[in-house]
Amino acid sequence: MAAPETQGAAARGEEDCKSNHSESGSVSYEDSKDCILEPLSLPESPGGTTALEGSPSVPCIFCEEHFPMDEQDKLLKHMIIEHKMVIADVKLVADFQRYILYWRKRFTEQPVTDFCSVIRINSTAPLEEQDNYFLLCDVLPEDRVLREELQKQRLKEILEQQQQERNDNNFHGICMFCNEEFFGNRSVLLNHMAREHAFNIGLPDNIVNCNEFLCTLQKKLDNLQCLYCEKTFRDKNTLKDHMRKKQHRRINPKNREYDRFYVINYLVSLSLHNLKCISMNKIFPRAV
């Protein structure tokens, strides 16, 4: 296959932003924001943030097809096959639903080629065999700022949730190992499991969405799965003996499923995004 020819928004951005250059011949991230004529307006549902997050599906950017929130890959596949749209670095998008809703609205206001780079496939082949794909990525200043705003919004929501859980004294939970009930603050149960059962998932103040975290762990145990090696056993007694003898009363640090329950990961995610933005400015300097 011949090398793709790239055109569209990324190329035009060179001319659109010439006035925003520095003396060294490159544009800083702050300068690139000037290319956006209007402030970003993140989509909100009539019921506010909570209602939006509770929505069971995400629409396609271009058509009326909807996909469940946990089937994000199917939506991305649909957009590639049916609409030839590729979204770069999807895993770095903090709020996929809001991201899709934002661009769904913007694409009704302006042509797709105003925002996306156009990648021509088989450019040396006969015209009828050539095909164009659209690439939406954070080389576009508007997309970059959108991703940053979504990161900040998600971090704000997580910190508010963490604070609410830290101050909540109406918590009710049951120990996964001895079935003892605990009331009051979540730290009572977490400290009990660490002290009495050597099961330490971290300091209570570092955890967010604690109820969901505990339910996730309990579900694995109910399915007779070891929390550390993640092997499945024939009955509960065999599982308990295994976890005790092998010292597997801990979670698997390589399982990324648990990342969302630790506040530090949201801080790291925002930092990585900022570093990526700085790197992009160095990789794609704009000449005077």
Side-chain angles (χ1 to χ4, degrees):
M1 183 176 69
E5 297 176 358
T6 304
Q7 57 189 28
R12 287 194 302 276
E14 297 291 334
E15 297 178 1
D16 295 339
C17 301
K18 278 184 179 179
S19 61
N20 295 322
H21 61 269
S22 65
E23 293 181 358
S24 62
S26 63
V27 175
S28 69
Y29 177 53
E30 290 299 322
D31 291 335
S32 69
K33 290 183 180 179
D34 295 337
C35 300
I36 302 172
L37 301 180
E38 299 178 359
L40 298 186
S41 177
L42 298 182
E44 289 284 355
S45 68
T49 301
T50 302
L52 180 63
E53 291 180 346
S55 179
S57 64
V58 182
C60 171
I61 289 181
F62 298 100
C63 68
E64 297 307 313
E65 286 285 337
H66 281 68
F67 295 82
M69 284 288 292
D70 58 356
E71 295 183 3
Q72 174 179 314
D73 289 345
K74 290 185 178 180
L75 171 56
L76 296 173
K77 181 179 179 180
H78 163 81
M79 289 195 294
I80 292 174
I81 295 174
E82 299 297 331
H83 307 289
K84 304 187 188 314
M85 166 62 70
V86 179
I87 300 176
D89 296 323
V90 174
K91 292 183 178 180
L92 297 181
V93 176
D95 191 326
F96 182 71
Q97 187 180 37
R98 276 204 180 107
Y99 181 85
I100 293 295
L101 292 175
Y102 177 88
W103 284 117
R104 179 180 170 89
K105 179 176 182 294
R106 291 292 281 133
F107 288 164
T108 64
E109 299 169 346
Q110 293 176 234
V112 174
T113 49
D114 283 359
F115 306 105
C116 297
S117 300
V118 179
I119 302 176
R120 181 168 297 162
I121 305 299
N122 293 333
S123 59
T124 60
L127 187 62
E128 63 273 10
E129 296 180 13
Q130 296 181 17
D131 217 344
N132 290 336
Y133 282 78
F134 304 99
L135 176 64
L136 181 61
C137 65
D138 58 4
V139 171
L140 176 72
E142 183 172 350
D143 186 85
R144 191 182 306 175
V145 174
L146 172 61
R147 291 175 185 236
E148 182 182 271
E149 290 302 317
L150 290 174
Q151 289 275 8
K152 291 178 179 178
Q153 180 65 26
R154 174 53 57 87
L155 178 59
K156 178 176 179 290
E157 293 169 355
I158 286 297
L159 292 177
E160 289 175 351
Q161 176 67 21
Q162 180 202 31
Q163 189 61 41
Q164 186 273 325
E165 291 181 17
R166 291 171 67 178
N167 297 331
D168 181 18
N169 291 317
N170 296 314
F171 175 84
H172 172 228
I174 300 176
C175 176
M176 294 181 287
F177 302 101
C178 67
N179 293 325
E180 183 177 349
E181 286 190 84
F182 292 87
F183 299 87
N185 192 276
R186 60 182 183 163
S187 61
V188 179
L189 171 57
L190 297 181
N191 290 335
H192 161 82
M193 291 194 295
R195 182 178 60 253
E196 301 297 332
H197 305 288
F199 182 69
N200 187 358
I201 57 175
L203 296 174
D205 284 350
N206 295 338
I207 293 173
V208 67
N209 295 320
C210 184
N211 283 332
E212 183 185 352
F213 194 4
L214 294 175
C215 287
T216 299
L217 297 175
Q218 185 63 59
K219 185 177 180 180
K220 289 180 180 290
L221 293 177
D222 291 342
N223 290 331
L224 305 178
Q225 185 179 42
C226 174
L227 299 178
Y228 182 72
C229 67
E230 301 185 339
K231 293 180 180 178
T232 303
F233 295 84
R234 64 177 181 271
D235 56 55
K236 286 188 176 181
N237 289 332
T238 305
L239 171 61
K240 288 182 178 179
D241 288 343
H242 162 82
M243 293 181 67
R244 177 176 54 81
K245 292 177 180 178
K246 296 290 185 178
Q247 296 184 344
H248 281 191
R249 284 186 176 176
R250 46 189 171 144
I251 63 175
N252 182 356
K254 296 181 180 180
N255 190 333
R256 301 274 73 88
E257 179 185 4
Y258 303 128
D259 288 356
R260 68 183 188 274
F261 300 118
Y262 293 91
V263 175
I264 185 64
N265 290 315
Y266 296 91
L267 297 169
V268 170
S269 180
L270 182 59
S271 298
L272 289 175
H273 173 80
N274 291 337
L275 287 173
K276 185 174 185 292
C277 289
I278 294 172
S279 299
M280 291 295 290
N281 284 325
K282 292 180 178 179
I283 294 172
F284 298 103
R286 293 185 173 91
V288 179

